[in-house]
Amino acid sequence: MRILLINDISCIGKCSLTVELPLVSLGGETVDILPTSILSTHTGGFTGYTFRDLSEDFPEILKHWKSLGIKYDYIVSGYLANISQIELVKQIKKEFLKDSGIYICDPSCGDNGKLYVGFDENFIKAMKSLVSEADITVPNLTEAEYLVGSKNLTIDELLKKLKEICPHPIITSYREDNKLGAAYLDGDQVVKCMSNAVAGSYHGAGDVFLGALLALIIHHVKFSDAIKIASDYATMSVEETLKEGTEPRYGLAFEKNIPYLVSEMVKHS
Ligand code: PXL
């Protein structure tokens, strides 16, 4: 099996590719990457970061891959630098995803009620059209609200509206009664996988969840079990970060609980 992760490299701050690549690799399959941009740190909570858009390199990279006859079972997109990269992802999906392949879109563009620096309503509109091409989408609550264009909806309403755009929406980093988890639809039924109570908001929590979820899915863990395990693992990573006392902007301490993730993966597959 071959998986492609399209996301940025934030050199410091543990999000996007630096989190997804090690976690998805635990699933035991080949993981390739396409970096969309390279930043000295991610854009949340840091000032003065560098940002290099790598779009210019895409055509030559894709031409080379094409000559190798590469095709993917899973393509996963995350943080995209601009609207033209959204169009490039559509093209990559068309050319490199197997007929039986699965495309997962993380519409990475905001958190805590706000868009990340550099994104606006036009970007959301373009991202919505990309989400409509996905089999699974994994927005956080803020991204979900921007995608459906409405705030203050219940989680049930939000998931049902998202389902009009993409068949399998999963809302990540979902909080209820100060518990952290994920919410998705099983048919018309809303399922919430809530883990321990944890305070605060953490950068890259969605990437930790998605990386773990993918590792579990490609290791043939049942979808509902995979969501529960990935959600517990993300929460354990927040707890570990609190224990270590590092600043939230430096990302989640996801490393310590990798043995837990692997043992659950083996147990459930
Ligand atoms: O995981 C979120 C994320 C990804 N990539 C970049 C970011 C952020 C959140 O701020 O700035 C560059």
PDB file of all heavy atoms in Angstrom, residues 7-8 10 15-16 39 41-44 79 108 116 203-204 207, ligand 1:
ATOM      1  N   ASN A   7       1.265  18.252   2.696  1.00  0.00           N
ATOM      2  CA  ASN A   7       1.115  19.157   3.841  1.00  0.00           C
ATOM      3  C   ASN A   7       2.378  20.005   3.959  1.00  0.00           C
ATOM      4  O   ASN A   7       3.350  19.762   3.242  1.00  0.00           O
ATOM      5  CB  ASN A   7       0.897  18.338   5.124  1.00  0.00           C
ATOM      6  CG  ASN A   7      -0.057  19.007   6.091  1.00  0.00           C
ATOM      7  OD1 ASN A   7      -0.131  20.235   6.134  1.00  0.00           O
ATOM      8  ND2 ASN A   7      -0.768  18.220   6.869  1.00  0.00           N
ATOM      9  N   ASP A   8       2.371  20.962   4.877  1.00  0.00           N
ATOM     10  CA  ASP A   8       3.575  21.805   4.993  1.00  0.00           C
ATOM     11  C   ASP A   8       4.616  21.164   5.922  1.00  0.00           C
ATOM     12  O   ASP A   8       4.309  20.231   6.674  1.00  0.00           O
ATOM     13  CB  ASP A   8       3.206  23.200   5.525  1.00  0.00           C
ATOM     14  CG  ASP A   8       2.869  23.172   7.001  1.00  0.00           C
ATOM     15  OD1 ASP A   8       1.692  22.935   7.327  1.00  0.00           O
ATOM     16  OD2 ASP A   8       3.777  23.343   7.842  1.00  0.00           O
ATOM     17  N   SER A  10       6.502  22.549   8.916  1.00  0.00           N
ATOM     18  CA  SER A  10       6.794  23.597   9.902  1.00  0.00           C
ATOM     19  C   SER A  10       7.953  23.043  10.714  1.00  0.00           C
ATOM     20  O   SER A  10       7.783  22.076  11.465  1.00  0.00           O
ATOM     21  CB  SER A  10       5.570  23.844  10.799  1.00  0.00           C
ATOM     22  OG  SER A  10       4.547  24.488  10.069  1.00  0.00           O
ATOM     23  N   CYS A  15       3.592  19.975  13.907  1.00  0.00           N
ATOM     24  CA  CYS A  15       2.293  19.869  13.245  1.00  0.00           C
ATOM     25  C   CYS A  15       2.549  19.396  11.812  1.00  0.00           C
ATOM     26  O   CYS A  15       3.705  19.168  11.422  1.00  0.00           O
ATOM     27  CB  CYS A  15       1.540  21.208  13.254  1.00  0.00           C
ATOM     28  SG  CYS A  15       2.352  22.505  12.316  1.00  0.00           S
ATOM     29  N   SER A  16       1.485  19.215  11.058  1.00  0.00           N
ATOM     30  CA  SER A  16       1.589  18.843   9.640  1.00  0.00           C
ATOM     31  C   SER A  16       2.518  17.637   9.433  1.00  0.00           C
ATOM     32  O   SER A  16       2.436  16.663  10.154  1.00  0.00           O
ATOM     33  CB  SER A  16       2.052  20.034   8.801  1.00  0.00           C
ATOM     34  OG  SER A  16       1.282  21.169   9.134  1.00  0.00           O
ATOM     35  N   LEU A  39       8.199  26.368   6.576  1.00  0.00           N
ATOM     36  CA  LEU A  39       8.154  27.507   7.496  1.00  0.00           C
ATOM     37  C   LEU A  39       9.124  27.244   8.644  1.00  0.00           C
ATOM     38  O   LEU A  39       9.341  26.086   9.026  1.00  0.00           O
ATOM     39  CB  LEU A  39       6.752  27.668   8.102  1.00  0.00           C
ATOM     40  CG  LEU A  39       5.564  27.884   7.171  1.00  0.00           C
ATOM     41  CD1 LEU A  39       4.953  26.552   6.745  1.00  0.00           C
ATOM     42  CD2 LEU A  39       4.489  28.709   7.879  1.00  0.00           C
ATOM     43  N   THR A  41       8.615  28.088  11.724  1.00  0.00           N
ATOM     44  CA  THR A  41       7.696  27.563  12.740  1.00  0.00           C
ATOM     45  C   THR A  41       6.316  27.590  12.093  1.00  0.00           C
ATOM     46  O   THR A  41       6.146  28.221  11.054  1.00  0.00           O
ATOM     47  CB  THR A  41       7.603  28.473  13.987  1.00  0.00           C
ATOM     48  OG1 THR A  41       7.012  29.729  13.581  1.00  0.00           O
ATOM     49  CG2 THR A  41       8.956  28.741  14.620  1.00  0.00           C
ATOM     50  N   HIS A  42       5.306  26.966  12.728  1.00  0.00           N
ATOM     51  CA  HIS A  42       3.947  27.164  12.214  1.00  0.00           C
ATOM     52  C   HIS A  42       3.503  28.598  12.518  1.00  0.00           C
ATOM     53  O   HIS A  42       4.246  29.355  13.183  1.00  0.00           O
ATOM     54  CB  HIS A  42       2.970  26.104  12.745  1.00  0.00           C
ATOM     55  CG  HIS A  42       2.805  26.097  14.231  1.00  0.00           C
ATOM     56  ND1 HIS A  42       2.212  27.126  14.924  1.00  0.00           N
ATOM     57  CD2 HIS A  42       3.157  25.184  15.166  1.00  0.00           C
ATOM     58  CE1 HIS A  42       2.205  26.849  16.212  1.00  0.00           C
ATOM     59  NE2 HIS A  42       2.782  25.669  16.385  1.00  0.00           N
ATOM     60  N   THR A  43       2.334  28.976  12.036  1.00  0.00           N
ATOM     61  CA  THR A  43       1.943  30.394  12.099  1.00  0.00           C
ATOM     62  C   THR A  43       1.177  30.766  13.377  1.00  0.00           C
ATOM     63  O   THR A  43       0.804  31.918  13.569  1.00  0.00           O
ATOM     64  CB  THR A  43       1.076  30.766  10.878  1.00  0.00           C
ATOM     65  OG1 THR A  43      -0.162  30.033  10.963  1.00  0.00           O
ATOM     66  CG2 THR A  43       1.769  30.449   9.571  1.00  0.00           C
ATOM     67  N   GLY A  44       0.914  29.784  14.215  1.00  0.00           N
ATOM     68  CA  GLY A  44       0.102  30.054  15.416  1.00  0.00           C
ATOM     69  C   GLY A  44       0.973  30.318  16.633  1.00  0.00           C
ATOM     70  O   GLY A  44       1.707  29.445  17.067  1.00  0.00           O
ATOM     71  N   TYR A  79      -2.436  21.429   5.145  1.00  0.00           N
ATOM     72  CA  TYR A  79      -2.226  22.881   5.018  1.00  0.00           C
ATOM     73  C   TYR A  79      -1.739  23.224   3.610  1.00  0.00           C
ATOM     74  O   TYR A  79      -0.683  22.780   3.173  1.00  0.00           O
ATOM     75  CB  TYR A  79      -1.184  23.298   6.048  1.00  0.00           C
ATOM     76  CG  TYR A  79      -0.914  24.775   6.140  1.00  0.00           C
ATOM     77  CD1 TYR A  79      -1.581  25.575   7.066  1.00  0.00           C
ATOM     78  CD2 TYR A  79       0.037  25.375   5.321  1.00  0.00           C
ATOM     79  CE1 TYR A  79      -1.309  26.932   7.156  1.00  0.00           C
ATOM     80  CE2 TYR A  79       0.308  26.733   5.419  1.00  0.00           C
ATOM     81  CZ  TYR A  79      -0.365  27.503   6.336  1.00  0.00           C
ATOM     82  OH  TYR A  79      -0.104  28.834   6.443  1.00  0.00           O
ATOM     83  N   SER A 108      -7.248  22.334   6.620  1.00  0.00           N
ATOM     84  CA  SER A 108      -6.459  23.077   7.596  1.00  0.00           C
ATOM     85  C   SER A 108      -6.454  24.591   7.290  1.00  0.00           C
ATOM     86  O   SER A 108      -5.800  25.022   6.347  1.00  0.00           O
ATOM     87  CB  SER A 108      -5.029  22.518   7.543  1.00  0.00           C
ATOM     88  OG  SER A 108      -4.228  23.145   8.489  1.00  0.00           O
ATOM     89  N   TYR A 116      -6.463  30.875  10.299  1.00  0.00           N
ATOM     90  CA  TYR A 116      -5.028  31.085  10.464  1.00  0.00           C
ATOM     91  C   TYR A 116      -4.620  32.305   9.621  1.00  0.00           C
ATOM     92  O   TYR A 116      -5.299  32.672   8.653  1.00  0.00           O
ATOM     93  CB  TYR A 116      -4.231  29.879   9.958  1.00  0.00           C
ATOM     94  CG  TYR A 116      -4.461  28.594  10.716  1.00  0.00           C
ATOM     95  CD1 TYR A 116      -4.520  27.366  10.053  1.00  0.00           C
ATOM     96  CD2 TYR A 116      -4.608  28.584  12.104  1.00  0.00           C
ATOM     97  CE1 TYR A 116      -4.723  26.176  10.735  1.00  0.00           C
ATOM     98  CE2 TYR A 116      -4.811  27.401  12.798  1.00  0.00           C
ATOM     99  CZ  TYR A 116      -4.869  26.201  12.106  1.00  0.00           C
ATOM    100  OH  TYR A 116      -5.077  25.029  12.776  1.00  0.00           O
ATOM    101  N   HIS A 203      -1.707  23.210  19.613  1.00  0.00           N
ATOM    102  CA  HIS A 203      -1.391  23.200  18.199  1.00  0.00           C
ATOM    103  C   HIS A 203      -1.049  21.809  17.729  1.00  0.00           C
ATOM    104  O   HIS A 203      -0.365  21.067  18.414  1.00  0.00           O
ATOM    105  CB  HIS A 203      -0.220  24.135  17.917  1.00  0.00           C
ATOM    106  CG  HIS A 203      -0.723  25.443  17.455  1.00  0.00           C
ATOM    107  ND1 HIS A 203      -1.225  25.594  16.185  1.00  0.00           N
ATOM    108  CD2 HIS A 203      -0.886  26.603  18.073  1.00  0.00           C
ATOM    109  CE1 HIS A 203      -1.648  26.834  16.064  1.00  0.00           C
ATOM    110  NE2 HIS A 203      -1.459  27.460  17.188  1.00  0.00           N
ATOM    111  N   GLY A 204      -1.552  21.456  16.566  1.00  0.00           N
ATOM    112  CA  GLY A 204      -1.198  20.168  15.982  1.00  0.00           C
ATOM    113  C   GLY A 204      -2.004  19.007  16.535  1.00  0.00           C
ATOM    114  O   GLY A 204      -1.755  17.852  16.167  1.00  0.00           O
ATOM    115  N   ASP A 207      -3.533  17.096  13.807  1.00  0.00           N
ATOM    116  CA  ASP A 207      -2.551  16.323  13.029  1.00  0.00           C
ATOM    117  C   ASP A 207      -2.160  15.045  13.768  1.00  0.00           C
ATOM    118  O   ASP A 207      -1.946  14.003  13.149  1.00  0.00           O
ATOM    119  CB  ASP A 207      -1.306  17.169  12.737  1.00  0.00           C
ATOM    120  CG  ASP A 207      -1.657  18.412  11.930  1.00  0.00           C
ATOM    121  OD1 ASP A 207      -2.560  18.327  11.087  1.00  0.00           O
ATOM    122  OD2 ASP A 207      -1.051  19.466  12.162  1.00  0.00           O
TER     123      ASP A 207
HETATM  124  O1  PXL B   1      -1.787  22.086  12.093  1.00  0.00           O
HETATM  125  C1  PXL B   1      -2.141  23.348  11.848  1.00  0.00           C
HETATM  126  C2  PXL B   1      -1.130  24.140  11.082  1.00  0.00           C
HETATM  127  C3  PXL B   1      -0.444  23.582  10.043  1.00  0.00           C
HETATM  128  N1  PXL B   1       0.473  24.259   9.318  1.00  0.00           N
HETATM  129  C4  PXL B   1       0.747  25.536   9.608  1.00  0.00           C
HETATM  130  C5  PXL B   1       0.094  26.186  10.642  1.00  0.00           C
HETATM  131  C6  PXL B   1      -0.881  25.465  11.391  1.00  0.00           C
HETATM  132  C7  PXL B   1      -1.574  26.131  12.488  1.00  0.00           C
HETATM  133  O2  PXL B   1      -1.346  27.213  12.865  1.00  0.00           O
HETATM  134  O3  PXL B   1       0.376  27.454  10.903  1.00  0.00           O
HETATM  135  C8  PXL B   1       1.788  26.270   8.802  1.00  0.00           C
END
